[in-house]
Amino acid sequence: MPKILRINTRTKEYTFEDAGNYANLGGRALTSRIINTEVPADCHPLSAENKLVIATGLLGGSTAANSGRVSVGTKSPLTKGIKESNSGGLFAHKMPKMDLLAIILEDKPEEGAPFSTLFISDGKVTFKDATPIVGMDNYPAHDKLLAEYGDKLVAAMIGPAGETLRLTATIQFTDPYKRPARSAGRGGTGAVMGSKKIKAIILDPAVSNKVGAVDVEAFKTARKTWVEILQGHPVTGQGLPGFGTSILVNVVNEAGALPGKNFRLGQVDHAADISGEKIAEVINARGGKTTEGCHAGCIIQCSQQYNDAKGEYLTSGFEYETVWALGANAMIKDIDDIAAIDRICDEKGMDTIEVGNTLAIAMDGGIIPWGDGKASIELLSKVGTKDPMGMIMGNGVDFAGGAFGVDRLPTVKGQSMPAYDPRAVKGVGVTYATSAMGADHTAGYGVAQNILKVGGDIDGHKKEGNVELSKNLQVATAAIDSMGFCLFVAFAVLDAPNGVQAMADLVQAYTGKPFSADDLVNLGINCLKDEQAFNERAGFTKMDDKLPRFFETDPLPPHGVVWDLDVDELQGAKV
Amino acid sequence: MPKILRINTRTKEYTFEDAGNYANLGGRALTSRIINTEVPADCHPLSAENKLVIATGLLGGSTAANSGRVSVGTKSPLTKGIKESNSGGLFAHKMPKMDLLAIILEDKPEEGAPFSTLFISDGKVTFKDATPIVGMDNYPAHDKLLAEYGDKLVAAMIGPAGETLRLTATIQFTDPYKRPARSAGRGGTGAVMGSKKIKAIILDPAVSNKVGAVDVEAFKTARKTWVEILQGHPVTGQGLPGFGTSILVNVVNEAGALPGKNFRLGQVDHAADISGEKIAEVINARGGKTTEGCHAGCIIQCSQQYNDAKGEYLTSGFEYETVWALGANAMIKDIDDIAAIDRICDEKGMDTIEVGNTLAIAMDGGIIPWGDGKASIELLSKVGTKDPMGMIMGNGVDFAGGAFGVDRLPTVKGQSMPAYDPRAVKGVGVTYATSAMGADHTAGYGVAQNILKVGGDIDGHKKEGNVELSKNLQVATAAIDSMGFCLFVAFAVLDAPNGVQAMADLVQAYTGKPFSADDLVNLGINCLKDEQAFNERAGFTKMDDKLPRFFETDPLPPHGVVWDLDVDELQGAKV
């Protein structure tokens, strides 16, 4: 049975434990249960009392399509609440092959202690001096690790932003193309890893135990059904593979829901210049790749390889939300500047959504001109250094607002909003407001029903139906995150009558334990309950579910919609 | 009847209104009622929806000893809750002489608008271009105003910290010696004034209407009794006049309650070097003054004039809390460096408590060495400029903690603790925890009973009795702040059987309206109720009454005491 590896980063002691009370949990359900059970809710997120948990999903290690997402859980230094941030890459599927269900980093070394790299092998953890890669950006540091550990390297690492405890700091994971290009992006998980003085976690390339479904035949059948569901849906079968997530730029702009200029606009004139269609055109012209998967077993392939003007690799995992934050909210029109900033974020280890929005705050505060990509690059180059401007830019929207004197701050629970204006897409607005994660589209993607008309048709301009919609999506999402699935499977599942059953069948066949569609729903509900309970103990109340006042007072052009849900009706979105 | 002057800082319209529903209120009771009634609790403190109120006390304009404190009320950008910060200076007694009960600044000018100076005359408000003094430090800017308006200048002004919207920004008031040396210090009120683009408010020196008690004879009698009470008490009659508030350095250090090195110590070895006795010695040797009042009518005279080594004026209003924050918590041992920083804080317009604690965070984060006064001066010189280090240093403890990656942050509701460790002085610890103001010794000074043994003797190391003590003190303090009294009168009042009655008699005789000791208590209670109600609507709950975890987990040397009051028992301190 896979073990929980618990590592004390101060004493360097570790234990491999049976799952015990954490049995039958995976991914987000597991990280949130551990954090809610073990971390004092009122501790400082960067103190010794906080923990960092990395967990594989219930389908981790399996060949079920799109089941290789890894969950990172902690008390977030950005939101001060519980956080699960998940990522693609090779880590999730590798963990079960090392008999690992979760890795828990505890305590923290005394002040001034050096950074370590954790090398995890069969039943053994080695703390290695990380000095040779400390201060290095993620790509070159990852190259050094590749040189040391070989091409089968599977790493989780932090960049200079995480080392310097920035609130936007990510944990980056090795992708299938030997790049540290996949991010547990939101909530500053990288700062928690940095506070524990762990620069990287390496899973021994030499260990790869055989992992398989307990019920081989049932798994084979379920797996086939699952592939048919994903390939049969227009979004997962055609839209995402064709243009990646940035296909949404034109769609959301058309809908008047693309936040522009720090959430002042619902449409931007230059949408075509930053659209998925434009990006695909540039990629093709420069010999890049328009399709890539973020983890082995992905059949959606929404990622890409974006090359620079010389035809050399610049970035990948170049998501719609990144393009939106930089291209629309910060009004940067040059897609090459946007791609360059995406790369900087991966190099420093920073959340592109929070960083893009923070640039918009710097522009709103007159620090740099609106839309100035070069000035943005210059500002971000300071993050991870001792430059105080880097300290500010690396700490996100609320922090930058305090530094620059900007009072228009599109955040909930300290986390800034992603690429859909809550006034025009109320289904996702309810999620922003009520999720324990803070403003997070991936916690309950009401955009599907409000704009894409997948899984239903609910008017995003009106509040009717959107509280219930968000609640149901939040439950489904928590379950999906717990199985290790990529969230995009939801598009197909929502429209497939047998979608939920197919996922449950996969889990049952893989684990060999009964797992019904009801169990799947309860997995999601219980995960959300853990998260809500933690946040309540941390002092969050319904008052923390408010959106900033300007969403209520300032109508969003072109449709003139405002946010009109009060905190009491929003409580209907909670489990 | 005195009027409420309401000024729209955007349209430049203004009205002089009858007190109406705000009649029979003054000082803190008035500012808190106005803020609770008129400001949306969930607005951003620097947005147009916030207001800034400046009010005189119920005894403003009178000759009652020590009744000339002015109250500033707003939603605090530091705490995000309601704030009343009061100050000495000439403003409070001058307002009634211009028929003013309160001044309310509303709305805010559009982005990029220039700063104005408000010149308030008889029934008229003039917006003057403040450009000539914008960016200037407070003393030279005040000198310019003196040159323009003459020696009878009475001004409220902000320095570069307020102009740049720093969260530590004060409003500075003209003192009786033509200096802008009195501060409404805590909570960032200066940033709110800055957000409304008001650099200074000048009360026309030419207007000075006659103000007197309605019941002249009764007032005369009450006034005499009041003076006897103040002069008869050892603290207000001898201790404070002799050595100023810094008399407390040795006393609190002896008690093991003087927070040192970012609240790691309860005693510091160099206490004698920064003591009130030492300061008096330096002052005398350099031809300064050991006694001064902060406002006309003060008979306690706890202030001073501190000269530099050349015998030239350096600073005044050089309080114990300032000396503590810099000298003990930031471990700066050179009293001249401490005095120089006090002057810098008055020049930039910054709260010395928050700034001293912020320097300790910079030291804890390795930005500058512990106790380095010169490096501290260098850091603070950047505040009010475009230097990002100045943005950080000017924003207080929690902000600097986020910038420098320090997790030991001695704050409650975003405001850092003053000069008494809550583990060893639980009476004031309960006040830190439960006051709507955030950590604030002036909201309920349990130090009196815990250490000074004035007004009772309650063990500060144990929790027993301290919740009730703090509650009673918070009520009394709110009443004292509403009458316009200096808080130090409380020492005498607590030990004088006729103390409360004497204050009530003064109000009744001055206003000509019945005012009993019960009315005085209810004034305090209702004021606190307003403040609690505002904070509740702003989203504060009992969970915001927690002290940071390290007070519970780390025993304070030398007595090894910890904080042991849970949030439920703390609720007993609320009205």
Side-chain angles (χ1 to χ4, degrees), chain B residues 196-238:
Chain B
K196 302 193 181 305
K197 295 283 183 180
I198 303 300
K199 172 72 174 170
I201 302 171
I202 318 282
L203 301 183
D204 188 350
V207 182
S208 188
N209 302 328
K210 197 169 153 49
V211 177
V214 174
D215 186 340
V216 178
E217 284 310 308
F219 187 75
K220 210 178 276 180
T221 307
R223 190 174 169 276
K224 187 160 165 287
T225 304
W226 181 236
V227 169
E228 284 164 6
I229 290 172
L230 294 183
Q231 289 184 334
H233 194 274
V235 173
T236 47
Q238 296 150 41

Short mmCIF file of all heavy atoms in Angstrom, two decimals, chain B residues 196-238:
data_model
loop_
_atom_site.label_atom_id
_atom_site.label_comp_id
_atom_site.label_asym_id
_atom_site.label_seq_id
_atom_site.Cartn_x
_atom_site.Cartn_y
_atom_site.Cartn_z
N LYS B 196 -7.54 61.97 -0.21
CA LYS B 196 -8.49 63.02 -0.56
C LYS B 196 -7.78 64.28 -1.04
O LYS B 196 -8.40 65.33 -1.25
CB LYS B 196 -9.40 63.31 0.64
CG LYS B 196 -10.15 62.02 1.06
CD LYS B 196 -11.27 62.25 2.01
CE LYS B 196 -11.94 60.92 2.40
NZ LYS B 196 -12.43 60.10 1.26
N LYS B 197 -6.46 64.16 -1.21
CA LYS B 197 -5.63 65.22 -1.79
C LYS B 197 -5.69 66.52 -0.99
O LYS B 197 -5.72 67.63 -1.55
CB LYS B 197 -6.07 65.48 -3.24
CG LYS B 197 -5.82 64.28 -4.15
CD LYS B 197 -4.36 64.16 -4.52
CE LYS B 197 -4.11 63.01 -5.50
NZ LYS B 197 -2.67 62.93 -5.82
N ILE B 198 -5.74 66.36 0.34
CA ILE B 198 -5.69 67.53 1.22
C ILE B 198 -4.35 67.48 1.95
O ILE B 198 -4.08 66.58 2.72
CB ILE B 198 -6.84 67.53 2.23
CG1 ILE B 198 -8.20 67.48 1.50
CG2 ILE B 198 -6.75 68.75 3.15
CD1 ILE B 198 -8.46 68.65 0.57
N LYS B 199 -3.50 68.45 1.70
CA LYS B 199 -2.18 68.51 2.33
C LYS B 199 -2.28 69.11 3.72
O LYS B 199 -1.57 68.68 4.64
CB LYS B 199 -1.25 69.35 1.45
CG LYS B 199 0.11 69.67 2.05
CD LYS B 199 1.05 68.47 2.13
CE LYS B 199 2.44 68.90 2.62
NZ LYS B 199 3.29 67.74 2.92
N ALA B 200 -3.12 70.12 3.87
CA ALA B 200 -3.23 70.78 5.18
C ALA B 200 -4.60 71.42 5.33
O ALA B 200 -5.27 71.73 4.34
CB ALA B 200 -2.15 71.84 5.33
N ILE B 201 -5.02 71.53 6.58
CA ILE B 201 -6.25 72.26 6.91
C ILE B 201 -5.83 73.39 7.86
O ILE B 201 -5.23 73.13 8.91
CB ILE B 201 -7.27 71.35 7.61
CG1 ILE B 201 -7.60 70.14 6.73
CG2 ILE B 201 -8.53 72.12 7.96
CD1 ILE B 201 -8.44 69.07 7.43
N ILE B 202 -6.15 74.61 7.46
CA ILE B 202 -5.78 75.78 8.26
C ILE B 202 -7.03 76.40 8.84
O ILE B 202 -7.99 76.67 8.11
CB ILE B 202 -5.10 76.86 7.38
CG1 ILE B 202 -4.11 76.25 6.39
CG2 ILE B 202 -4.49 77.97 8.24
CD1 ILE B 202 -2.81 75.86 6.97
N LEU B 203 -7.03 76.62 10.14
CA LEU B 203 -8.14 77.34 10.77
C LEU B 203 -7.75 78.82 10.84
O LEU B 203 -6.72 79.18 11.43
CB LEU B 203 -8.39 76.79 12.17
CG LEU B 203 -8.73 75.29 12.25
CD1 LEU B 203 -9.04 74.89 13.68
CD2 LEU B 203 -9.91 74.94 11.33
N ASP B 204 -8.55 79.66 10.23
CA ASP B 204 -8.24 81.08 10.09
C ASP B 204 -7.80 81.71 11.42
O ASP B 204 -8.59 81.79 12.37
CB ASP B 204 -9.49 81.80 9.56
CG ASP B 204 -9.19 83.26 9.20
OD1 ASP B 204 -8.09 83.74 9.54
OD2 ASP B 204 -10.06 83.88 8.56
N PRO B 205 -6.56 82.21 11.48
CA PRO B 205 -6.10 82.83 12.73
C PRO B 205 -6.93 84.05 13.11
O PRO B 205 -6.97 84.41 14.29
CB PRO B 205 -4.66 83.23 12.41
CG PRO B 205 -4.27 82.40 11.22
CD PRO B 205 -5.52 82.17 10.45
N ALA B 206 -7.59 84.65 12.14
CA ALA B 206 -8.32 85.90 12.42
C ALA B 206 -9.65 85.64 13.12
O ALA B 206 -10.24 86.56 13.68
CB ALA B 206 -8.57 86.64 11.10
N VAL B 207 -10.12 84.41 13.09
CA VAL B 207 -11.42 84.12 13.72
C VAL B 207 -11.18 83.50 15.10
O VAL B 207 -10.48 82.50 15.22
CB VAL B 207 -12.25 83.15 12.86
CG1 VAL B 207 -13.61 82.90 13.52
CG2 VAL B 207 -12.41 83.68 11.46
N SER B 208 -11.72 84.10 16.12
CA SER B 208 -11.59 83.53 17.45
C SER B 208 -12.76 84.01 18.30
O SER B 208 -12.63 84.89 19.14
CB SER B 208 -10.25 83.92 18.09
OG SER B 208 -10.07 83.22 19.30
N ASN B 209 -13.91 83.40 18.04
CA ASN B 209 -15.12 83.77 18.78
C ASN B 209 -14.97 83.43 20.25
O ASN B 209 -14.25 82.51 20.62
CB ASN B 209 -16.33 83.03 18.21
CG ASN B 209 -16.50 83.33 16.73
OD1 ASN B 209 -16.18 84.43 16.26
ND2 ASN B 209 -16.97 82.34 15.98
N LYS B 210 -15.68 84.19 21.06
CA LYS B 210 -15.62 83.94 22.49
C LYS B 210 -16.42 82.67 22.81
O LYS B 210 -17.52 82.46 22.34
CB LYS B 210 -16.21 85.14 23.23
CG LYS B 210 -15.81 85.16 24.70
CD LYS B 210 -16.19 86.50 25.33
CE LYS B 210 -16.43 86.32 26.83
NZ LYS B 210 -15.38 85.59 27.52
N VAL B 211 -15.79 81.82 23.58
CA VAL B 211 -16.46 80.58 23.98
C VAL B 211 -16.37 80.50 25.50
O VAL B 211 -15.34 80.81 26.08
CB VAL B 211 -15.74 79.35 23.38
CG1 VAL B 211 -16.39 78.06 23.86
CG2 VAL B 211 -15.74 79.43 21.87
N GLY B 212 -17.44 80.12 26.14
CA GLY B 212 -17.36 80.01 27.60
C GLY B 212 -18.38 79.01 28.11
O GLY B 212 -19.24 78.53 27.36
N ALA B 213 -18.24 78.68 29.37
CA ALA B 213 -19.18 77.76 30.00
C ALA B 213 -20.56 78.40 30.08
O ALA B 213 -20.67 79.61 30.30
CB ALA B 213 -18.69 77.37 31.38
N VAL B 214 -21.58 77.60 29.94
CA VAL B 214 -22.94 78.11 30.09
C VAL B 214 -23.20 78.44 31.56
O VAL B 214 -23.73 79.49 31.89
CB VAL B 214 -23.96 77.07 29.58
CG1 VAL B 214 -25.39 77.52 29.87
CG2 VAL B 214 -23.76 76.83 28.09
N ASP B 215 -22.78 77.53 32.43
CA ASP B 215 -22.94 77.78 33.87
C ASP B 215 -21.57 78.15 34.44
O ASP B 215 -20.79 77.30 34.88
CB ASP B 215 -23.48 76.53 34.55
CG ASP B 215 -23.81 76.76 36.03
OD1 ASP B 215 -23.27 77.73 36.61
OD2 ASP B 215 -24.58 75.96 36.58
N VAL B 216 -21.28 79.44 34.40
CA VAL B 216 -19.94 79.93 34.70
C VAL B 216 -19.47 79.56 36.10
O VAL B 216 -18.36 79.07 36.30
CB VAL B 216 -19.88 81.47 34.52
CG1 VAL B 216 -18.49 82.00 34.88
CG2 VAL B 216 -20.21 81.83 33.07
N GLU B 217 -20.33 79.75 37.07
CA GLU B 217 -19.91 79.50 38.46
C GLU B 217 -19.66 78.02 38.72
O GLU B 217 -18.66 77.64 39.33
CB GLU B 217 -20.97 80.03 39.44
CG GLU B 217 -20.95 81.55 39.59
CD GLU B 217 -19.53 82.08 39.85
OE1 GLU B 217 -18.86 81.59 40.79
OE2 GLU B 217 -19.09 82.99 39.11
N ALA B 218 -20.58 77.21 38.27
CA ALA B 218 -20.42 75.76 38.46
C ALA B 218 -19.16 75.27 37.76
O ALA B 218 -18.46 74.39 38.27
CB ALA B 218 -21.65 75.02 37.92
N PHE B 219 -18.89 75.84 36.61
CA PHE B 219 -17.70 75.44 35.87
C PHE B 219 -16.43 75.80 36.64
O PHE B 219 -15.48 75.02 36.72
CB PHE B 219 -17.69 76.08 34.49
CG PHE B 219 -16.58 75.57 33.61
CD1 PHE B 219 -16.65 74.32 33.02
CD2 PHE B 219 -15.43 76.34 33.39
CE1 PHE B 219 -15.62 73.84 32.23
CE2 PHE B 219 -14.40 75.87 32.59
CZ PHE B 219 -14.50 74.62 32.01
N LYS B 220 -16.45 77.01 37.21
CA LYS B 220 -15.30 77.47 37.98
C LYS B 220 -15.01 76.49 39.13
O LYS B 220 -13.87 76.09 39.37
CB LYS B 220 -15.58 78.88 38.52
CG LYS B 220 -14.33 79.73 38.67
CD LYS B 220 -14.66 81.15 39.17
CE LYS B 220 -15.06 82.08 38.03
NZ LYS B 220 -15.39 83.46 38.51
N THR B 221 -16.06 76.11 39.82
CA THR B 221 -15.92 75.19 40.95
C THR B 221 -15.40 73.82 40.48
O THR B 221 -14.47 73.25 41.06
CB THR B 221 -17.30 74.98 41.62
OG1 THR B 221 -17.83 76.25 41.94
CG2 THR B 221 -17.15 74.14 42.90
N ALA B 222 -16.02 73.32 39.45
CA ALA B 222 -15.64 71.99 38.94
C ALA B 222 -14.20 72.02 38.45
O ALA B 222 -13.44 71.05 38.63
CB ALA B 222 -16.58 71.56 37.82
N ARG B 223 -13.84 73.09 37.83
CA ARG B 223 -12.50 73.23 37.28
C ARG B 223 -11.45 73.18 38.37
O ARG B 223 -10.38 72.56 38.23
CB ARG B 223 -12.43 74.56 36.51
CG ARG B 223 -11.19 74.75 35.69
CD ARG B 223 -11.30 76.03 34.85
NE ARG B 223 -10.01 76.33 34.26
CZ ARG B 223 -9.04 76.99 34.88
NH1 ARG B 223 -9.23 77.45 36.11
NH2 ARG B 223 -7.87 77.20 34.28
N LYS B 224 -11.77 73.85 39.50
CA LYS B 224 -10.83 73.88 40.62
C LYS B 224 -10.65 72.47 41.21
O LYS B 224 -9.53 72.03 41.45
CB LYS B 224 -11.37 74.86 41.68
CG LYS B 224 -10.42 75.12 42.83
CD LYS B 224 -10.78 76.42 43.55
CE LYS B 224 -10.07 76.50 44.91
NZ LYS B 224 -10.63 75.60 45.93
N THR B 225 -11.76 71.80 41.40
CA THR B 225 -11.70 70.42 41.91
C THR B 225 -10.86 69.55 40.99
O THR B 225 -10.04 68.74 41.43
CB THR B 225 -13.13 69.84 41.98
OG1 THR B 225 -13.93 70.70 42.77
CG2 THR B 225 -13.12 68.43 42.57
N TRP B 226 -11.07 69.75 39.72
CA TRP B 226 -10.38 68.95 38.69
C TRP B 226 -8.86 69.16 38.76
O TRP B 226 -8.07 68.21 38.72
CB TRP B 226 -10.94 69.34 37.33
CG TRP B 226 -10.37 68.60 36.15
CD1 TRP B 226 -9.78 69.15 35.06
CD2 TRP B 226 -10.36 67.19 35.94
NE1 TRP B 226 -9.40 68.18 34.17
CE2 TRP B 226 -9.74 66.96 34.70
CE3 TRP B 226 -10.80 66.10 36.69
CZ2 TRP B 226 -9.55 65.68 34.19
CZ3 TRP B 226 -10.61 64.83 36.19
CH2 TRP B 226 -9.98 64.63 34.95
N VAL B 227 -8.46 70.39 38.89
CA VAL B 227 -7.02 70.70 39.00
C VAL B 227 -6.44 70.05 40.24
O VAL B 227 -5.34 69.48 40.22
CB VAL B 227 -6.79 72.23 39.01
CG1 VAL B 227 -5.35 72.56 39.38
CG2 VAL B 227 -7.13 72.82 37.65
N GLU B 228 -7.20 70.12 41.33
CA GLU B 228 -6.70 69.51 42.58
C GLU B 228 -6.52 68.00 42.42
O GLU B 228 -5.54 67.43 42.91
CB GLU B 228 -7.68 69.79 43.73
CG GLU B 228 -7.58 71.23 44.25
CD GLU B 228 -8.78 71.63 45.12
OE1 GLU B 228 -9.64 70.74 45.40
OE2 GLU B 228 -8.86 72.82 45.48
N ILE B 229 -7.46 67.38 41.74
CA ILE B 229 -7.35 65.93 41.53
C ILE B 229 -6.10 65.60 40.73
O ILE B 229 -5.32 64.71 41.08
CB ILE B 229 -8.62 65.40 40.81
CG1 ILE B 229 -9.82 65.45 41.76
CG2 ILE B 229 -8.40 63.97 40.28
CD1 ILE B 229 -11.15 65.13 41.09
N LEU B 230 -5.89 66.34 39.65
CA LEU B 230 -4.73 66.06 38.78
C LEU B 230 -3.41 66.35 39.50
O LEU B 230 -2.46 65.57 39.43
CB LEU B 230 -4.80 66.89 37.50
CG LEU B 230 -5.95 66.57 36.54
CD1 LEU B 230 -5.83 67.43 35.28
CD2 LEU B 230 -5.96 65.09 36.14
N GLN B 231 -3.38 67.48 40.18
CA GLN B 231 -2.12 67.85 40.83
C GLN B 231 -1.84 67.03 42.08
O GLN B 231 -0.69 66.91 42.51
CB GLN B 231 -2.12 69.35 41.17
CG GLN B 231 -2.03 70.21 39.90
CD GLN B 231 -1.93 71.69 40.18
OE1 GLN B 231 -2.40 72.16 41.22
NE2 GLN B 231 -1.35 72.43 39.24
N GLY B 232 -2.88 66.44 42.65
CA GLY B 232 -2.71 65.69 43.88
C GLY B 232 -2.24 64.26 43.68
O GLY B 232 -1.88 63.58 44.64
N HIS B 233 -2.23 63.81 42.45
CA HIS B 233 -1.86 62.41 42.24
C HIS B 233 -0.37 62.29 41.90
O HIS B 233 0.16 63.11 41.15
CB HIS B 233 -2.69 61.82 41.09
CG HIS B 233 -2.61 60.32 41.02
ND1 HIS B 233 -1.60 59.68 40.35
CD2 HIS B 233 -3.38 59.36 41.57
CE1 HIS B 233 -1.77 58.36 40.46
NE2 HIS B 233 -2.84 58.14 41.21
N PRO B 234 0.30 61.28 42.44
CA PRO B 234 1.76 61.18 42.21
C PRO B 234 2.16 61.03 40.74
O PRO B 234 3.20 61.53 40.34
CB PRO B 234 2.17 59.95 43.02
CG PRO B 234 0.91 59.23 43.39
CD PRO B 234 -0.17 60.26 43.41
N VAL B 235 1.30 60.37 39.93
CA VAL B 235 1.68 60.19 38.52
C VAL B 235 1.49 61.49 37.73
O VAL B 235 2.41 61.97 37.05
CB VAL B 235 0.88 59.03 37.87
CG1 VAL B 235 1.16 58.98 36.36
CG2 VAL B 235 1.24 57.70 38.51
N THR B 236 0.29 62.08 37.83
CA THR B 236 0.02 63.29 37.04
C THR B 236 0.60 64.55 37.68
O THR B 236 0.85 65.54 37.01
CB THR B 236 -1.50 63.48 36.84
OG1 THR B 236 -2.15 63.29 38.11
CG2 THR B 236 -2.04 62.46 35.87
N GLY B 237 0.82 64.47 39.01
CA GLY B 237 1.34 65.65 39.73
C GLY B 237 2.86 65.69 39.78
O GLY B 237 3.46 66.75 39.84
N GLN B 238 3.49 64.48 39.77
CA GLN B 238 4.95 64.47 39.92
C GLN B 238 5.68 63.63 38.84
O GLN B 238 6.61 64.10 38.21
CB GLN B 238 5.32 63.92 41.31
CG GLN B 238 4.84 64.79 42.46
CD GLN B 238 4.55 63.96 43.71
OE1 GLN B 238 5.30 63.05 44.04
NE2 GLN B 238 3.47 64.27 44.40
#
